[in-house]
Amino acid sequence: MEYKGKRRRAILDKVKAQLREEAETELLAGMDFNNWNEAFDMLNMQFWKGVLPKIPVTTEATKKAQYGWYGYKGYIKLSSNKGLSPLEMLGVLLHEMCHHYVEVTYKHGYSAAAGGKRVIGHGKEWKDEMRRVGYAGKITRYTGKERFTGVSR
């Protein structure tokens, strides 16, 4: 039996999702959710083969509406008072690490690597990286916390 078109794509997507979930279940089994710097290292190995430069990851209570933020000078902060589960916090960390990847790859502002155009925080380069690390559906600046919530632990 030969599958074509949308049916073939749906089957391939389902198989890829199952394989990804198996790999991520293993990743999550060894993760210490009390040490976000260690989580950075594990995600770095899983999604970037360890090549992202190490930067500090801290948590802090904040009045801001955001769950996390990336400082292009080299840090990630996760908000500790938003009621997120550890898996949701991990999704936020991965979102911020995608910002880090874009910064390392294209630099802040205008980039010759991007054809001399301006590279913006939640722009095309960042969305492409979010897709590459497994985010699906519509990707916006709010996408992040849901990334690992469907993975069994």
Side-chain angles (χ1 to χ4, degrees):
M1 179 182 285
E2 187 176 333
Y3 295 102
K4 295 182 180 180
K6 290 181 182 181
R7 176 117 170 100
R8 181 176 183 272
R9 170 67 23 216
I11 291 169
L12 288 173
D13 287 347
K14 187 174 183 177
V15 169
K16 284 180 184 178
Q18 288 171 340
L19 292 171
R20 186 175 65 234
E21 184 172 340
E22 288 175 19
E24 290 177 0
T25 299
E26 290 178 31
L27 169 75
L28 295 176
M31 192 163 290
D32 176 7
F33 290 103
N34 294 312
N35 185 339
W36 293 108
N37 286 294
E38 183 180 305
F40 176 98
D41 293 339
M42 293 181 81
L43 291 175
N44 190 6
M45 287 304 296
Q46 177 79 14
F47 296 106
W48 291 278
K49 296 183 175 50
V51 300
L52 274 183
K54 177 76 173 160
I55 59 173
V57 179
T58 59
T59 60
E60 74 178 46
T62 179
K63 292 181 182 177
K64 293 183 178 183
Q66 62 213 84
Y67 295 126
W69 55 99
Y70 169 74
Y72 71 89
K73 293 187 179 182
Y75 64 88
I76 292 174
K77 291 185 180 181
L78 302 174
S79 186
S80 61
N81 62 335
K82 301 298 184 226
L84 298 181
S85 72
L87 287 177
E88 289 173 324
M89 291 278 282
L90 190 65
V92 173
L93 176 59
L94 187 59
H95 168 122
E96 301 307 334
M97 289 176 73
C98 288
H99 285 297
H100 184 39
Y101 169 82
V102 169
E103 173 64 24
V104 167
T105 305
Y106 301 103
K107 304 296 180 225
H108 190 71
Y110 292 87
S111 171
K117 66 181 178 186
R118 187 161 183 260
V119 176
I120 59 174
H122 293 104
K124 178 188 180 321
E125 295 81 7
W126 174 79
K127 287 179 182 177
D128 288 347
E129 190 61 13
M130 290 281 283
R131 282 217 189 286
R132 192 192 67 75
V133 300
Y135 286 93
K138 183 173 175 146
I139 295 177
T140 71
R141 65 184 182 164
Y142 304 108
T143 304
K145 67 179 184 164
E146 68 285 347
R147 173 64 177 81
F148 295 102
T149 55
V151 179
S152 56
R153 263 180 34 129

